Amino acid sequence: MSLTGTTMNYSSDNDPAIQEFNTSKLLKNARKQAEDRNYKDFFICDVDSHHYETEALPEILQYMDDPVMRHLGLSAGNVGRAGLIPQAIGSQDMAGRVTRYAGRNKEIVPEEPHRDITLARRWMDAMGTDMACLFPTPMLLLATHPKSRSRWQWPAPITVG
């Protein structure tokens, strides 16, 4: 059996299911369940939610003191360049079946408040969540960075109001 000519493109950029993405639409069934189960009647705190700050990495890197490390971070993604944040091994998006990760960058949000705040509020509202403790998921991987210097070069956490 020959596989010549049967190459498939598995890039999520070409997935028609996520050409237009909206968290509220994606989680419409979760919203219905939250309403059916009267989640509004009791307090819900997600104590293990994750934030993927890599979309805002250029914003974050502006505050990095070391100009060399800042340059390395900003040049990540160029051909032959690895990023400062080590990649986790695994399949958290279930090989593309969880479209939220791939579609997130296509979601349209207003200029204010910050994009991350808007997206977090959308999933929280849809799922009936009152409060969330957001973990900076990619930043947690810094402890595994081969250059120990990178671990303490990151700027202090910034509170976005």
Side-chain angles (χ1 to χ4, degrees):
M1 172 182 235
S2 172
L3 295 178
T4 308
T6 60
T7 308
M8 294 183 69
N9 182 354
Y10 291 102
S11 170
S12 59
D13 290 335
N14 299 321
D15 187 341
I18 57 172
Q19 290 303 311
E20 181 183 323
F21 189 82
N22 183 292
T23 298
S24 300
K25 287 180 184 178
L26 177 74
L27 297 174
K28 68 181 179 186
N29 290 337
R31 176 177 286 288
K32 183 177 179 338
Q33 288 177 346
E35 291 169 357
D36 291 349
R37 297 172 183 173
N38 294 314
Y39 285 177
K40 66 182 179 334
D41 293 343
F42 48 91
F43 180 76
I44 297 177
C45 180
D46 182 345
V47 298
D48 189 25
S49 56
H50 294 262
H51 176 253
Y52 294 86
E53 67 282 347
T54 48
E55 286 180 9
L57 203 53
E59 284 179 65
I60 295 167
L61 289 172
Q62 292 176 26
Y63 297 96
M64 183 177 272
D65 292 334
D66 186 316
V68 174
M69 296 302 285
R70 182 174 50 248
H71 177 76
L72 288 173
L74 290 170
S75 67
N78 292 340
V79 177
R81 289 270 318 116
L84 286 177
I85 300 174
Q87 297 298 308
I89 298 172
S91 183
Q92 188 165 1
D93 70 349
M94 298 185 65
R97 293 188 303 271
V98 177
T99 57
R100 182 182 181 311
Y101 302 118
R104 184 180 150 95
N105 65 343
K106 294 172 176 59
E107 187 155 358
I108 298 169
V109 299
E111 286 189 34
E112 296 290 329
H114 193 278
R115 175 180 181 77
D116 293 334
I117 293 171
T118 300
L119 294 177
R121 285 179 178 160
R122 285 181 182 175
W123 69 256
M124 289 174 66
D125 289 345
M127 297 174 69
T129 304
D130 299 299
M131 182 182 289
C133 300
L134 294 168
F135 290 94
T137 308
M139 295 285 188
L140 292 174
L141 293 171
L142 283 176
T144 65
H145 198 287
K147 292 184 178 180
S148 60
R149 187 173 107 147
S150 302
R151 292 184 210 141
W152 52 264
Q153 288 294 328
W154 288 94
I158 300 167
T159 304
V160 179

